[in-house]
Amino acid sequence: MDTADRANAPVVVAIDGPSGSGKSTVSRAVAARLGLSFLDTGAMYRAMTWWMLANEVDVDDADAVAVACGKPVIVSGTDAAGPTITVDGQDVSGPIRGQQVTSQVSAVAAVPQVRARLVELQRGCAEVAERGIVAEGRDMGSVVFPDATVKVFLTASETARAERRAAELRAKGLDEATITAMAADLARRDAADSSRETAPLTQAADAVLVDTSELTLEQVIDTISGLVEQRAGLSAV
């Protein structure tokens, strides 16, 4: 495929990595710069978890979660300027970021039936993205989009990730005790997601590793945008 053909073909940019590596911020910025759709797949798993909790499904009972996961209607808006997430028509963008959902999402995400359903939804979002999509999560390059145009695995030192997450939570006005508790939850969730049997958090063999520990946000955005421009023949809009 020549450059002209690539420029007209939808592209998929798969960005994976642990919490605090900058996936969401970077992915949205790259999508906006290149005129692509944006998909926060973590929000979809959080939305599923929120629904389970709201409907009193025992999230530690994998069988119960598997049976129930086909019920909620989860719709993920893919506009990088203002991504949305709804469950049964209700905007849950706020509630899904709470500590209760954060502490339980790994258990729900580990259920194979949940992953199968949400992977189908995620691929559907990519199929209708006219120009292409930037999808961020934990198994985008390894499972959901194995043939992605560009695969990136973002990482950062544990210290850098912890500091970024704490700063983000302080900006939201949370107290130090809550920040400490949520930081512990994030560390536990990364460990759980990396060790689960179904679609663990891992770097795809053909993904480009980008360590953001010593890079500015703009440098990371430039690096990934450059990869997409080179491989897909895209340019900034």
Side-chain angles (χ1 to χ4, degrees):
M1 182 182 295
D2 61 27
T3 301
D5 289 334
R6 287 198 304 270
N8 293 321
V11 301
V12 175
V13 182
I15 300 181
D16 293 307
S19 302
S21 58
K23 295 190 306 295
S24 294
T25 302
V26 169
S27 298
R28 281 187 66 179
V30 170
R33 179 179 292 187
L34 299 177
L36 301 175
S37 298
F38 164 72
L39 183 61
D40 178 356
T41 64
M44 300 174 80
Y45 285 100
R46 285 175 171 271
M48 180 68 79
T49 304
W50 176 87
W51 185 92
M52 295 287 173
L53 295 171
N55 287 274
E56 299 183 344
V57 177
D58 182 357
V59 297
D60 292 319
D61 183 342
D63 290 336
V65 171
V67 170
C69 71
K71 297 178 181 179
V73 177
I74 297 173
V75 178
S76 182
T78 58
D79 183 353
T84 57
I85 185 79
T86 64
V87 179
D88 297 335
Q90 178 181 347
D91 178 5
V92 295
S93 55
I96 65 171
R97 302 297 174 183
Q99 186 172 0
Q100 185 180 23
V101 170
T102 297
S103 66
Q104 301 294 337
V105 65
S106 285
V108 173
V111 177
Q113 291 84 349
V114 170
R115 302 203 74 82
R117 173 147 192 251
L118 294 186
V119 165
E120 182 179 3
L121 293 179
Q122 291 156 13
R123 289 174 175 165
C125 289
E127 288 173 1
V128 298
E130 184 175 350
R131 182 173 164 94
I133 198 165
V134 179
E136 64 101 337
R138 298 189 170 216
D139 63 346
M140 294 300 97
S142 57
V143 174
V144 183
F145 301 111
D147 298 318
T149 315
V150 176
K151 298 180 186 180
V152 174
F153 192 86
L154 284 186
T155 188
S157 68
E158 186 173 341
T159 298
R161 290 166 51 214
E163 290 175 349
R164 289 172 185 168
R165 186 57 175 162
E168 178 184 332
L169 296 174
R170 289 190 187 99
K172 295 180 179 179
L174 298 181
D175 60 80
E176 291 302 316
T178 301
I179 290 172
T180 300
M182 293 187 77
D185 278 341
L186 287 170
R188 176 194 53 75
R189 185 155 58 93
D190 280 343
D193 290 349
S194 297
S195 60
R196 67 184 176 221
E197 292 185 10
T198 303
L201 166 63
T202 187
Q203 179 182 343
D206 53 347
V208 177
L209 179 65
V210 178
D211 188 329
T212 68
S213 302
E214 303 297 329
L215 299 177
T216 65
L217 174 60
E218 197 65 24
Q219 287 174 324
V220 179
I221 296 168
D222 287 344
T223 297
I224 298 176
S225 296
L227 282 171
V228 179
E229 290 170 351
Q230 177 184 6
R231 296 188 184 182
L234 288 178
S235 58
V237 296

